[in-house]
Amino acid sequence: IFLVPPTSFRLANDYKSIPAMDSPPEDPLLRNPAAPRDPESYPSKWGKQPELLMEVNDLEERNDVLSLFHDSVNGLPRHAFKVIAIKRVQSVRLWDAYARRRASVANENWTSPNEALLFHGTSDTLPSTILNDRTGFDPRFCDEGRFGRGSYFAVRAAYSHEFAHVFKDANNNLHYQIFIARVTLGRIQEIKGGGFTSLRRPEDGCHSVTGCSTLRNNVSSAMHVIYETSTQAFPEFLITYKATMQNRARRFR
């Protein structure tokens, strides 16, 4: 078990600031740490009457998303993939449920939710199904994976690309969609090796599981898995992209 040390955190449901007990060292199990969200019923940039999906036009926000998506270590290469659209998810219902769960995990983890921005592909499931569902990412409907039945989130975009939702536009061109999700990891149980396909929850005292997964085509990534509660992850951005001409006939390796 990796126990996260105390840190400061503003509870999303009552907006009270809890002082830090100590400054935490770098968390070796946390990749792509997410910047704190506004401690409001929902983020102020959504506006007074937020639409479910809003194109990201703010240059700084858009560049932040592109930097994560095309990261030189964990992202998809710019020369092989072109982003067509970045949509910010603005579901008040899903955000409210996530904020409450995040606060609950923080209360159990020295006031730290241990948030990260991670990738998630929906395969044959339409992204709109997740956005319009009451529970969002629902682990109960996920296929059994290397670390059991849960919702899987990858550090590497190339890994989630293998599970991207694929569709054709009006000109019969293939397009891909994956989510960048904000995930509350809390206390992380680290797993090494295999033999955990029957796992249904982290061990007592933990909120998520992490381990490495490698696909048949040798694409690998550190994975974070949440179980039982779908509200521990929020679909922050929906990325639509396409392969360049030379990569159109195959997925990225």
Side-chain angles (χ1 to χ4, degrees):
I1 304 174
F2 185 84
L3 300 181
V4 181
T7 186
S8 60
F9 174 70
R10 298 186 70 185
L11 293 179
N13 58 353
D14 66 3
Y15 318 152
K16 294 180 181 178
S17 179
I18 298 177
M21 297 172 62
D22 270 315
S23 296
E26 183 178 350
D27 183 345
L29 299 185
L30 181 62
R31 287 91 168 182
N32 300 339
R37 267 294 202 183
D38 299 341
E40 303 165 340
S41 55
Y42 59 85
S44 59
K45 67 173 59 178
W46 290 9
K48 293 183 178 180
Q49 294 181 317
E51 299 179 18
L52 180 59
L53 284 173
M54 179 64 69
E55 181 70 30
V56 174
N57 294 317
D58 178 78
L59 186 59
E60 182 177 0
E61 183 178 21
R62 188 176 181 85
N63 285 339
D64 286 344
V65 174
L66 288 173
S67 293
L68 183 61
F69 185 80
H70 290 305
D71 180 76
S72 60
V73 176
N74 294 318
L76 289 169
R78 292 178 185 269
H79 71 270
F81 294 93
K82 180 180 180 180
V83 172
I84 299 170
I86 302 173
K87 297 290 183 70
R88 185 195 310 120
V89 178
Q90 302 183 154
S91 170
V92 176
R93 180 185 68 255
L94 294 180
W95 175 258
D96 179 68
Y98 174 74
R100 292 176 185 275
R101 176 58 181 164
R102 179 180 67 172
S104 175
V105 170
N107 282 336
E108 298 170 1
N109 191 42
W110 297 293
T111 73
S112 172
N114 218 2
E115 289 185 293
L117 295 176
L118 303 168
F119 298 98
H120 181 85
T122 63
S123 297
D124 294 333
T125 301
L126 288 169
S128 59
T129 301
I130 292 173
L131 299 179
N132 292 315
D133 191 83
R134 291 181 58 191
T135 54
F137 299 112
D138 195 334
R140 295 174 299 175
F141 298 102
C142 295
D143 293 334
E144 190 173 89
R146 182 178 179 84
F147 306 113
R149 192 178 297 278
S151 292
Y152 285 66
F153 300 90
V155 171
R156 292 192 67 203
Y159 188 100
S160 290
H161 172 66
E162 299 296 323
F163 299 92
H165 178 68
V166 183
F167 67 96
K168 293 183 179 180
D169 64 12
N171 297 317
N172 212 35
N173 296 315
L174 285 181
H175 288 186
Y176 305 90
Q177 289 182 316
I178 61 175
F179 282 111
I180 293 179
R182 175 178 289 266
V183 188
T184 288
L185 301 173
R187 300 183 197 177
I188 304 171
Q189 176 189 354
E190 186 175 21
I191 291 180
K192 296 181 179 180
F196 297 93
T197 57
S198 62
L199 199 63
R200 291 296 180 269
R201 62 178 59 87
E203 61 187 30
D204 290 347
C206 291
H207 304 96
S208 65
V209 160
T210 190
C212 185
S213 178
T214 302
L215 301 175
R216 293 178 181 178
N217 57 10
N218 292 323
V219 173
S220 62
S221 176
M223 302 297 297
H224 291 280
V225 190
I226 58 174
Y227 307 82
E228 297 177 317
T229 174
S230 58
T231 58
Q232 211 166 303
F234 178 78
E236 189 129 326
F237 298 102
L238 178 62
I239 314 297
T240 303
Y241 59 101
K242 64 180 181 180
T244 57
M245 185 65 69
Q246 62 267 32
N247 289 284
R248 188 165 294 173
R250 63 182 177 86
R251 288 186 184 267
F252 175 65
R253 297 295 184 263

